[in-house]
Amino acid sequence: MLQKETGFDLPAKIEDFVSQKCLTSCINGQYTSVTSDKTFDVIDPGSGNRLAVVADCGEDEIEAAVTAGEKAFKNSGWATMPVNERAVLLHRLADLVEKEKDALAKLEALDCGKVLANASWDIENFCQTLRYYTDLSVNTSRRFSLAVSAHEAWTVRHPYGVCAFIFPWNFPFLLLGWGISAALAAGNTVVVKPAEDTPLSTLYFGSLAKEAGIPDGVVNIVPGLGETAGAALARHPRIKRMSFTGSPEVGRLVGGACGENLVPVKLELGGKGAEVVFDDIDLEDTVDKLVQAITFHTGQVCCTASRWIVQESCFDRFVDSCQRRFQQVVVGHGLTEGTQMGPVVSQKQQDRILGYLEKGKQEGAEVLFGGTTAAVAGFANGHFVAPALLTGSSENVAAREEIFGPVAYVVPFGSDDEGVELANSTPYGLANSVWTGNLERAVAVAESMVAGNSWINAHNVFVHGVPYGGVNLSGLGGGVLGPETYFDYLRQQSVVRPL
């Protein structure tokens, strides 16, 4: 039982679910029997103890899931039912998730190492996303008349069929919502491969879809390793659309596999966010917000604020304030009251972060704060790191490559143009921010940044209805959260009648 394994308990319903001998795929509305003896353990990164045993699925289960999705698309009525009837079921699903928000948040916090309040926000955001796209589907026409000479012409949009999703380990439930909500609202069926490090909330979601009355086969979930289940899903010839969220390295593999089958692919990849800070800001308030941003989910956020580009005239004061603020960050288990920053997701991720810090120092970076593991009383086997602040050349490896941890790199700049140039000196292009009291300057700098998203006097701002996506190494194929995403999951067909 989880109480014994982790020291934390969960509501009985979820406790019973994750304490099964082995968690398996959810295909065609049923948790399937295990066809292989391959399994993997899911670990609480805060304690190092086991949370659950999960089936290591592969090509057979992916084939079964795609087949179930195809049959549901053709026969269940999901794709053809009136949009308002489908909306009733999706709103019912959102209501069920919200009803179990507290329990799901605890499970997410244990599985990912998240601070409980952040996990709760993730679950609520899922509900908001599902409701946003559901309501959008009800209020959006799929038929558009075209004004052309001597012809009656129009376009009509239809769902594609089976849409595939591979999600990362940092925001499993939130990204599940960002991914499948538009696809389901458009009338597609889905096959989801959650990250092997954090599959629990996604697997439990299968039971909620069933309870809400979503037809069997519309939502299919297959756990497994990336190189087996993930690769099998990406190269499957009968999926109609693919969405992958993760690293550029794996994104290239997924994109290549989809290219072989001419399957449209959406890639949401990494980032190395820049924050251009001018000397006319409220320094203490800005430092507080940036420290919160880099320590949010222990820096394991693709759009995290990791490159702090600070105007020379306030650089020293900014650094001094940062060092004081970093000292106040409380590191602990995500379910421990008062924790402000939890563990990283795994020993592998801890080693990656510490390795980058060592590489950065070898290339001449100065560590201004942190740069080590963090000791947390009672959790000696947890994967904790201290938040870190580095400075030095903007060409340093720690300033250029995505570390995916609570590591900020601060450099000075002089003119506005220099600040923008430093912000754009990266192959990534996901999300940056500008901090200034001059609105005209803020707009000019924000629009000059080469990225999918620019924020003014804030970071990590996600609003339903505002597109969020990346350019360059940060992604392609369209973003999420905006109305365009809904149409990404509808194929366009033109109809023409000569007059």
Side-chain angles (χ1 to χ4, degrees):
M1 300 296 283
L2 290 180
Q3 172 67 37
K4 180 179 178 181
E5 293 282 354
T6 68
F8 298 98
D9 61 341
L10 288 173
K13 187 177 181 181
I14 289 184
E15 173 94 26
D16 291 343
F17 176 78
V18 299
S19 297
Q20 297 176 66
K21 183 178 179 181
C22 182
L23 296 176
T24 64
S25 297
C26 183
I27 298 174
N28 201 34
Q30 302 294 325
Y31 289 98
T32 62
S33 59
V34 180
T35 59
S36 168
D37 58 0
K38 294 181 180 178
T39 63
F40 56 88
D41 291 341
V42 177
I43 304 299
D44 167 17
S47 67
N49 295 327
R50 184 175 66 184
L51 291 172
V53 178
V54 177
D56 182 8
C57 299
E59 195 163 347
D60 290 346
E61 289 82 5
I62 292 295
E63 173 63 28
V66 173
T67 299
E70 287 177 323
K71 290 181 178 179
F73 185 76
K74 293 176 182 178
N75 302 325
S76 72
W78 179 256
T80 56
M81 71 174 58
V83 65
N84 60 313
E85 293 183 17
R86 189 163 54 241
V88 169
L89 296 177
L90 290 175
H91 271 291
R92 187 179 299 161
L93 178 56
D95 291 345
L96 280 174
V97 172
E98 189 165 52
K99 180 181 178 181
E100 299 202 29
K101 182 179 76 170
D102 292 343
L104 279 166
K106 273 193 171 184
L107 180 61
E108 195 82 334
L110 276 173
D111 202 7
C112 305
K114 288 178 180 285
V115 174
L116 182 58
N118 294 340
S120 296
W121 185 86
D122 289 358
I123 309 304
E124 183 59 37
N125 189 273
F126 173 99
C127 299
Q128 293 170 359
T129 305
L130 185 55
R131 289 168 177 148
Y132 168 75
Y133 282 111
T134 298
D135 291 344
L136 186 67
S137 71
V138 172
N139 295 294
T140 300
S141 175
R142 297 190 182 187
R143 188 183 301 270
F144 299 90
S145 297
L146 303 175
V148 294
S149 176
H151 297 81
E152 180 186 19
W154 66 93
T155 62
V156 63
R157 292 179 179 268
H158 300 288
Y160 278 91
V162 181
C163 298
F165 296 86
I166 299 175
F167 293 117
W169 44 258
N170 56 340
F171 288 89
F173 209 79
L174 178 142
L175 292 177
L176 179 70
W178 285 17
I180 70 172
S181 293
L184 292 176
N188 298 282
T189 59
V190 302
V191 176
V192 175
K193 205 296 280 186
E196 55 265 33
D197 286 312
T198 58
L200 300 183
S201 61
T202 304
L203 287 171
Y204 183 74
F205 174 74
S207 67
L208 296 181
K210 178 82 170 180
E211 186 178 349
I214 305 299
D216 291 347
V218 170
V219 175
N220 305 280
I221 304 164
V222 182
L225 304 182
E227 57 266 30
T228 52
L233 183 57
R235 67 171 178 261
H236 199 288
R238 300 201 313 276
I239 61 173
K240 299 302 181 183
R241 285 198 68 91
M242 178 78 222
S243 175
F244 168 81
T245 307
S247 71
E249 294 77 16
V250 179
R252 287 189 178 97
L253 298 176
V254 172
C258 290
E260 290 289 331
N261 295 320
L262 299 181
V263 171
V265 61
K266 183 194 293 282
L267 300 177
E268 296 289 328
L269 308 177
K272 191 69 174 177
E275 295 62 51
V276 180
V277 179
F278 288 90
D279 63 3
D280 61 349
I281 44 85
D282 181 327
L283 188 140
E284 296 297 331
D285 181 67
T286 300
V287 166
D288 181 64
K289 289 176 179 175
L290 289 178
V291 169
Q292 288 186 51
I294 195 62
T295 56
F296 172 59
H297 194 25
T298 322
Q300 300 167 122
V301 185
C302 55
C303 58
T304 194
S306 57
R307 291 186 297 142
W308 297 354
I309 301 167
V310 180
Q311 199 161 30
E312 292 172 343
S313 52
C314 69
F315 184 82
D316 291 341
R317 290 185 293 117
F318 180 90
V319 168
D320 288 344
S321 180
C322 285
Q323 291 171 318
R324 291 193 299 271
R325 181 63 181 83
F326 271 127
Q327 290 175 348
Q328 299 169 5
V329 176
V330 179
V331 180
H333 194 286
L335 291 182
T336 299
E337 187 176 355
T339 294
Q340 297 173 339
M341 190 179 85
V344 295
V345 74
S346 64
Q347 183 65 56
K348 178 181 177 181
Q349 188 63 16
Q350 185 184 56
D351 292 343
R352 171 188 170 90
I353 295 166
L354 297 176
Y356 264 109
L357 289 166
E358 188 58 34
K359 290 177 186 176
K361 289 188 289 184
Q362 290 174 0
E363 290 189 10
E366 178 185 359
V367 178
L368 301 173
F369 186 88
T372 64
T373 58
V376 176
F379 297 98
N381 294 322
H383 309 308
F384 298 97
V385 295
L389 180 64
L390 281 67
T391 191
S393 168
S394 61
E395 297 299 314
N396 189 281
V397 65
R400 294 190 59 80
E401 296 187 12
E402 185 178 37
I403 297 174
F404 227 56
V407 181
Y409 199 99
V410 60
V411 296
F413 76 92
S415 66
D416 292 19
D417 289 344
E418 183 184 1
V420 171
E421 183 178 357
L422 284 168
N424 292 336
S425 63
T426 173
Y428 294 100
L430 185 53
N432 301 321
S433 56
V434 54
W435 302 76
T436 176
N438 184 321
L439 182 58
E440 182 178 354
R441 169 193 269 168
V443 171
V445 171
E447 292 185 352
S448 298
M449 292 175 170
V450 180
N453 313 273
S454 289
W455 297 312
I456 295 174
N457 294 336
H459 205 86
N460 293 334
V461 182
F462 309 108
V463 182
H464 292 95
V466 177
Y468 172 82
V471 298
N472 301 331
L473 282 189
S474 292
L476 58 80
V480 293
L481 293 186
E484 297 89 348
T485 305
Y486 174 66
F487 291 105
D488 286 344
Y489 292 98
L490 291 166
R491 62 177 177 84
Q492 181 171 287
Q493 180 176 350
S494 62
V495 182
V496 183
R497 180 177 71 90
L499 298 177

